[in-house]
Amino acid sequence: MLILLPPSEGKAASGSGKPLDLDALSLPALRTAREQALAALVGLCSGDAVQAAEVLGLSPGLAGETARNAALRTAPALPAAKLYTGVLYDNLGLADLPPAARTRARRTLLIFSGLWGALRIDDRVPPYRCAMGVRLPGVGLLSAHWREPMAQALPEAAGRGLVLDLRSSMYTPAWTPRGDVAARTATVRVLHERNGARTVVSHFNKATKGRLVRDLLADGGTPRDPAELASALRDLKYTVETQAPARAGRPWQLDVVVTEL
């Protein structure tokens, strides 16, 4: 099983180890594209800070992030498992997973990133600020920048197993599962049911997905397709409804229905 996660805007304030080593990161097929994005971001943020903030879409309160980006090559790095601190990751709780679940997390989780493409949880990178929707000088829109290298790296990472795609909409254009991989892919929509009516949730969507991933890792099951995943989640006491794709070569959608947020 391969589980695709979005990053989070919330990140650790600083690293505490050696600087970035691009050659040490997983998914080596992304190496060249990572260097291109990194060089463009460092170059942008080493120049006019106002222009850099505009390109990155930073509010005045985040203007200091440009200086952080300018120093990415020499800044202390830390594992991706410790870098991301948003709602999904708070509820996933990578730091206190049982040992066996932690081993499964290393093997199954991929965190998408505008700057790095995708990371395993033990990949060491410095804190940064660069979303997938940014257009970097000389590189262009990052979601388009990643499509070709992702098309090479991701099917190999997925192998012949299930893909659970929990990315937010900003990150899905960087890689679209196709063919037999799409047939083994499930997306998740979280619905809040109250007084017989259902609404799509936002903040609690992330919290539910974090808990869901944690429960799957702790359970240790190995669902092989979306139908088996739905069954596994029901065994874990989730209310799940499946929606088969309208045509072949498209992912399944699983609706997870919650009554309490």
Side-chain angles (χ1 to χ4, degrees):
M1 179 167 59
L2 184 68
I3 302 176
L4 309 181
L5 300 177
S8 65
E9 290 195 14
K11 296 181 180 71
S14 63
S16 58
K18 296 180 180 180
L20 171 72
D21 180 358
L22 285 177
D23 291 326
L25 299 182
S26 59
L27 303 178
L30 304 182
R31 171 64 169 81
T32 298
R34 285 169 174 153
E35 173 58 39
Q36 292 168 340
L38 177 62
L41 181 62
V42 170
L44 170 69
C45 293
S46 297
D48 187 319
V50 174
Q51 179 186 8
E54 290 177 354
V55 171
L56 297 175
L58 301 180
S59 65
L62 295 173
E65 295 292 329
T66 59
R68 183 198 297 270
N69 284 344
L72 284 174
R73 292 192 186 274
T74 57
L78 74 168
K82 296 181 179 180
L83 173 63
Y84 299 105
T85 61
V87 174
L88 187 153
Y89 292 91
D90 288 345
N91 284 270
L92 171 52
L94 289 169
D96 62 358
L97 281 174
R102 177 77 179 202
T103 298
R104 284 188 285 274
R106 292 189 178 100
R107 185 175 64 249
T108 62
L109 300 186
L110 268 185
I111 303 169
F112 270 59
S113 162
L115 181 57
W116 314 112
L119 300 168
R120 298 285 189 184
I121 64 170
D122 287 339
D123 283 334
R124 298 179 60 86
V125 295
Y128 66 98
R129 179 74 62 167
C130 187
M132 189 67 81
V134 166
R135 293 180 181 270
L136 288 178
V139 168
L141 183 64
L142 283 169
S143 58
H145 173 70
W146 289 113
R147 282 180 197 143
E148 184 175 343
M150 287 286 192
Q152 177 183 351
L154 267 291
E156 181 179 347
R160 301 184 62 83
L162 169 72
V163 177
L164 175 54
D165 189 352
L166 301 179
R167 295 174 294 166
S168 53
S169 59
M170 179 183 293
Y171 291 86
T172 55
W175 181 61
T176 301
R178 301 188 185 282
D180 69 310
V181 179
R184 293 181 274 112
T185 297
T187 63
V188 169
R189 180 174 64 166
V190 181
L191 301 176
H192 180 210
E193 185 171 80
R194 183 179 182 183
N195 298 325
R198 292 180 177 179
T199 57
V200 177
V201 296
S202 54
H203 175 86
F204 293 100
N205 166 60
K206 298 176 183 178
T208 300
K209 287 179 177 178
R211 291 193 293 267
L212 181 151
V213 172
R214 182 182 179 90
D215 288 343
L216 284 171
L217 293 173
D219 178 67
T222 55
R224 294 168 294 181
D225 57 41
E228 289 189 9
L229 173 63
S231 179
L233 290 174
R234 292 183 185 113
D235 289 343
L236 292 168
K237 308 307 180 185
Y238 288 90
T239 299
V240 180
E241 298 175 358
T242 61
Q243 296 187 34
R247 60 179 184 271
R250 294 294 183 90
W252 287 61
Q253 178 176 296
L254 305 186
D255 286 343
V256 175
V257 182
V258 298
T259 56
E260 296 182 359
L261 298 177

